Amino acid sequence: MAIYHAPREEITPFTGNKDADRLLNDLSDHPHAFVLACIMDRQVKAERAWMVPFHLREKLQDFSMTRLAALSRDDIFRLMAEPAPLHRFVDKMAGFFFSGIQRIATQYGSNASLMWADRPSSAMVVYRFLEFDGVGPKIANMAANILARHFKVEFSDYYSIDISADIQVRRVFGRLGLTPLDASVEQLVYRARSLHPEFPGLLDLPSWEIGRKWCRPRAKECRACYMQRLCPTAAGEA
Ligand code: SF4
């Protein structure tokens, strides 16, 4: 069974806060929470960015699209800025949050789950995320990847979901000898496509986990890493 067809975990952790994670996992009643969290995921630690919808719900006591669509950009700025900033770049992100809400309201009739309803192609899902202000290929692919891999949303194909080439993925691909250590984003993306054309983005999570758990920038723990027997960097160190 392909990993993305495996049963869905009860709840996918994003933040370390169970209530916040429950909101982000609630694709039935609050699919916009997931989309808006993805939009916030830039230039700060992911855990902090993904907390933004939850903090706003706490402040508003309501995270329905009806309530959100009634907020002005200034309202959102104030909610994000006071008393403590919810993001490193509150002004810019308040604008993206506001325009994200407006897009979901006008384009999808306030139901963000229509972005991925009815088995769309993976390219269409990535494209729909790219249509939001502030979302580039890295976030759009990450969002589609999470929908497919964790939330088990069915697409008609998965081949347009690329890896999100972050620093961990670059280091692990480089040490495994898959790409040069200083590979460009394009090199990483195309290497992943060549390795797993059916769903290139599937290589994202294991690479990221290896990078975070064992293949750290300085103190590598090759003995614990399950790639040790195949890894040219580990072999060179033995
Ligand atoms: S075996 Fe060592 S160098 Fe290779 S991927 Fe694992 S931790 Fe990194």
Side-chain angles (χ1 to χ4, degrees):
M1 182 188 289
I3 189 168
Y4 44 103
H5 292 147
R8 180 180 170 178
E9 281 175 50
E10 201 173 315
I11 194 152
T12 298
F14 292 104
T15 64
N17 176 313
K18 280 196 179 126
D19 291 333
D21 287 345
R22 256 191 288 277
L23 175 64
L24 296 166
N25 276 256
D26 182 11
L27 293 194
S28 303
D29 293 330
H30 295 92
H32 48 282
F34 170 73
V35 176
L36 294 167
C38 290
I39 296 172
M40 294 296 99
D41 191 357
R42 51 188 284 173
Q43 296 172 299
V44 286
K45 282 200 159 180
E47 289 83 355
R48 183 176 175 197
W50 286 70
M51 282 296 290
V52 172
F54 177 71
H55 285 310
L56 293 191
R57 188 184 75 174
E58 293 287 282
K59 291 181 182 195
L60 294 165
Q61 293 297 304
D62 181 357
F63 206 70
S64 67
M65 274 300 296
T66 308
R67 180 74 180 95
L68 293 174
L71 298 171
S72 68
R73 188 195 183 287
D74 286 347
D75 292 333
I76 294 173
F77 174 79
R78 274 192 295 278
L79 286 163
M80 287 183 68
E82 298 162 5
L86 300 183
H87 197 285
R88 188 169 159 213
F89 300 105
V90 169
D91 189 32
K92 188 165 68 172
M93 301 315 287
F96 292 156
F97 203 94
F98 171 75
S99 73
I101 291 167
Q102 297 306 314
R103 179 161 199 85
I104 293 167
T106 55
Q107 191 77 12
Y108 299 103
S110 294
N111 181 1
S113 72
L114 294 181
M115 291 171 64
W116 53 82
D118 299 328
R119 292 187 85 238
S121 67
S122 53
M124 184 50 86
V125 176
V126 172
Y127 177 74
R128 285 172 178 160
F129 274 95
L130 284 171
E131 286 188 306
F132 284 85
D133 290 340
V135 173
K138 188 174 166 202
I139 295 300
N141 278 289
M142 176 203 74
N145 212 340
I146 293 170
L147 285 168
R149 195 178 55 204
H150 291 290
F151 292 146
K152 314 298 176 190
V153 173
E154 239 185 281
F155 301 160
S156 60
D157 66 72
Y158 299 88
Y159 50 71
S160 293
I161 305 176
D162 284 316
I163 55 167
S164 299
D166 74 355
I167 195 164
Q168 312 266 23
V169 174
R170 177 174 285 115
R171 187 169 63 252
V172 171
F173 267 46
R175 287 180 178 167
L176 286 170
L178 299 173
T179 53
L181 280 166
D182 60 351
S184 65
V185 169
E186 290 77 15
Q187 280 177 297
L188 290 160
V189 164
Y190 278 86
R191 187 67 174 116
R193 288 184 190 177
S194 76
L195 290 164
H196 198 269
E198 186 194 346
F199 187 170
L202 212 53
L203 298 175
D204 194 304
L205 182 63
S207 309
W208 187 83
E209 281 180 345
I210 289 170
R212 189 138 153 171
K213 280 188 187 161
W214 306 298
C215 200
R216 292 187 287 271
R218 291 205 179 81
K220 300 195 292 288
E221 287 186 51
C222 298
R223 285 204 182 93
C225 175
Y226 61 79
M227 293 303 288
Q228 186 190 18
R229 282 183 44 231
L230 301 170
C231 179
T233 306
E237 288 219 325

